[in-house]
Amino acid sequence: MIGMKRRSFLTLLPATGLGLLAPGIARAQLAAAPPRSARDEADIARIENYLNGIHTLKARFLQVDANGNSIGGDAWMQRPGRMRFQYDAPASMLLVAGHGLLVYYDPAVRQTSNLFLSSTPLGLLLEDNLRLSGSVTVTGLARAKGQIQVTLVRTQRPNDGTITLVFATDPLTLRSWIIRDAQGRQTQVSLYDVQYGGTFPQSLFTFVGPQFQK
């Protein structure tokens, strides 16, 4: 199980995503998108405004890899640029976004991995004043009953992977995301018991290695 979790994170690094949406729908979004309708443009604008209205949240999460293996934990988000995924025991892994970096620590092997947040699809979710145009390209938009999802890439760096954001529509609420890398591997994360607002200690978003912990 711990090996699975490590592979899931390595998929997260080049790609990124959250959700319990049927993988087949996500794959369909990566096909060439038809010209957008006025309804599409209105929905994209609504999603953009919604995301920019999120400042802080705390939630439980469930992460599922491509093989259906799952692991839960606690998540904190503070836009712009900060997130913390604290995985449940016994794995107790840690994923921290802050100060422009995404840092992952696996206590089982006492190994730390990091990269620039700006090179990951997950970083799009944490951007300040996110605009779904220009430097970000909407590559897919799909609707189902009570649900809408949008797939995003960095316009100049599409090989970094995609993030598909999945929303309930009434009212518009972020439920999950799916990260897909260049090889088509995906990781899905769903949020539940979400609490919006609040103030978090900034130490949550700073990784401190075990050698410096008291």
Side-chain angles (χ1 to χ4, degrees), residues 50 53-61 73-79 173-175 191-200 205:
Y50 168 82
I54 296 176
H55 300 292
T56 60
L57 67 79
K58 180 181 179 182
R60 288 286 295 170
F61 73 86
D74 294 301
W76 295 260
M77 182 192 300
Q78 179 179 306
R79 298 180 65 253
T173 308
L174 179 64
R175 295 299 189 196
L191 301 178
Y192 59 100
D193 295 340
V194 181
Q195 302 171 40
Y196 293 96
T199 302
F200 307 135
F205 311 112

Side-chain angles (χ1 to χ4, degrees), residues 2 55 66 127 131 154 171:
I2 291 177
H55 300 292
E127 282 192 3
R131 290 291 175 257
R154 296 184 187 278

